[in-house]
Amino acid sequence: MTPTTGRRRRSLFAAVAAAALGVLGLAATPAAAQEWRGWNIHAADYPNGVGMDAFTRLVAERTNNRIRMRTFHSAQLGQQDEAIQQMRLGTIDFANFNLSPFNNLAPSTNVVTLPFLFRDVGHMQRAIDGPAGEAIARDLEAIGIVALSWYDAGARSLYTTRPVRAPADLRGMKIRVQTSDLWIDLMRALGANPTPLPFGEVFTSLQSGVIDGAENNWPSYESTRHFEVARFYSTTEHSNVPEVLAVSAQRWRRLNEQERAILRDAARESAAIQRRSWADRERVSRERVVAAGVTVIEIADRAPWAALMEPVYAKYAADARLAELVRAIRGMQ
């Protein structure tokens, strides 16, 4: 071997060694931190905000801040319909959504929105943590949204500017509903005039007489101060629709299996926190509006109301898959 050949081989070995060290160094370099944007329609101190903040904190801790999430509370990134579109496009990374606005996008969400389906909160939670949640998660993933866990949203009842004690009292009244065919048909079945409006416009619409009432749970009724302009709350408890904590499928596809497991575990833990916070907030909210002089009309017998829902079930649970899901939920102990 000539001196020149030896020098060439030593240079080649040095180059290979340097390249190997470079690869090892790259592999040892921590993954770049990810900055995620999250959407929440409620204030930070609302149970949903408490749950979401717990979720982001747990994820940051368990990924050593590789995934850093910031939740924009109080609908800072737009109203829910806008946020759903942003989520599907990937410009919002995670969010807590009510399921009703998905009724026209994800068929199985219609089932848990059906009126008078759940006997009580425990029944709803068992269903959404089981067969109902599994069905909905499949439908949501098909439109670009990955469900991680389920939050409580309470039983929804009617609140109005004049007393409502029976379905007949609703005839001709303009009642705000979410943007959903099912909710529109539900109110029509009760004899009301359904009026789809963004949630943020409800107070001024009640105040100005654009609508005569709306429907929601105790904390929403209290926290938005809707009780100041709609002084009658009728405990119809016609719906108990859970909410979803989800991430954009575009973000999800870029995660490894370990990161996905961390997000799922953190989401389930946050749901337990949110549910406890919800139960406390529901009790406090009712006490506050009663103290403020709201008239609570207790609906002891919901059977006359439920009897009017047959056309709604026939339309939205006629599909064999959805009808079977309704039967499964009703048959749960």
Side-chain angles (χ1 to χ4, degrees), residues 21-295:
L21 287 171
V23 171
L24 290 172
L26 181 62
T29 301
Q34 302 175 35
E35 302 288 343
W36 290 32
R37 297 197 319 155
W39 180 90
N40 175 29
I41 198 170
H42 302 289
D45 63 352
Y46 199 71
N48 302 54
V50 171
M52 291 187 76
D53 286 346
F55 171 64
T56 61
R57 183 178 65 255
L58 291 168
V59 170
E61 290 172 357
R62 294 170 186 179
T63 62
N64 294 318
N65 283 317
R66 290 195 317 277
I67 299 178
R68 293 196 292 261
M69 299 172 157
R70 179 185 175 190
T71 303
F72 290 82
H73 300 288
S74 302
Q76 293 178 64
L77 302 180
Q79 292 299 316
Q80 180 153 291
D81 289 348
E82 299 167 324
I84 289 171
Q85 292 306 313
Q86 291 183 66
M87 185 90 145
R88 298 177 71 186
L89 293 169
T91 54
I92 285 177
D93 300 301
F94 67 103
N96 161 224
F97 290 127
N98 183 279
L99 291 175
S100 294
F102 288 101
N103 289 166
N104 298 335
L105 299 170
S108 58
T109 61
N110 284 291
V111 171
V112 294
T113 315
L114 288 169
F116 308 104
L117 176 65
F118 300 115
R119 295 185 298 272
D120 51 37
V121 173
H123 182 205
M124 180 274 294
Q125 291 178 349
R126 291 190 296 278
I128 198 63
D129 290 339
E134 292 167 5
I136 291 169
R138 287 193 294 271
D139 283 357
L140 289 178
E141 190 160 3
I143 62 168
I145 294 173
V146 178
L148 297 182
S149 67
W150 309 99
Y151 284 4
D152 280 1
R156 299 173 75 99
S157 291
L158 287 163
Y159 51 91
T160 50
T161 55
R162 60 178 187 265
V164 170
R165 294 183 172 84
D169 296 330
L170 279 170
R171 288 181 190 145
M173 291 182 72
K174 300 183 294 294
I175 304 297
R176 180 265 176 181
V177 294
Q178 300 172 74
T179 307
S180 160
D181 290 344
L182 187 149
W183 280 93
I184 290 171
D185 288 342
L186 186 161
M187 282 300 156
R188 283 178 178 158
L190 291 174
N193 182 8
T195 307
L197 283 174
F199 187 63
E201 296 179 15
V202 174
F203 185 96
T204 55
S205 297
L206 285 165
Q207 192 174 41
S208 64
V210 170
I211 56 175
D212 303 305
E215 52 80 47
N216 220 311
N217 51 62
W218 286 110
S220 293
Y221 177 57
E222 176 262 324
S223 65
T224 55
R225 307 197 72 80
H226 290 176
F227 67 90
E228 294 180 353
V229 284
R231 305 288 288 173
F232 299 93
Y233 193 95
S234 304
T235 62
T236 52
E237 296 185 356
H238 51 270
S239 177
N240 198 336
V241 183
E243 302 199 352
V244 63
L245 177 61
V247 300
S248 164
Q250 295 192 37
R251 270 290 191 186
W252 188 253
R253 285 193 288 267
R254 298 199 293 270
L255 299 176
N256 60 41
E257 288 304 317
Q258 182 184 25
E259 290 168 332
R260 290 179 180 181
I262 288 172
L263 261 68
R264 287 195 185 280
D265 288 345
R268 283 191 285 265
E269 290 178 42
S270 81
I273 292 168
Q274 189 272 346
R275 288 173 177 181
R276 288 193 298 270
S277 179
W278 182 269
D280 291 340
R281 181 61 183 271
E282 200 166 47
R283 174 182 51 77
V284 169
S285 292
R286 176 167 179 154
E287 290 172 354
R288 285 175 178 171
V289 299
V290 168
V294 164
T295 299

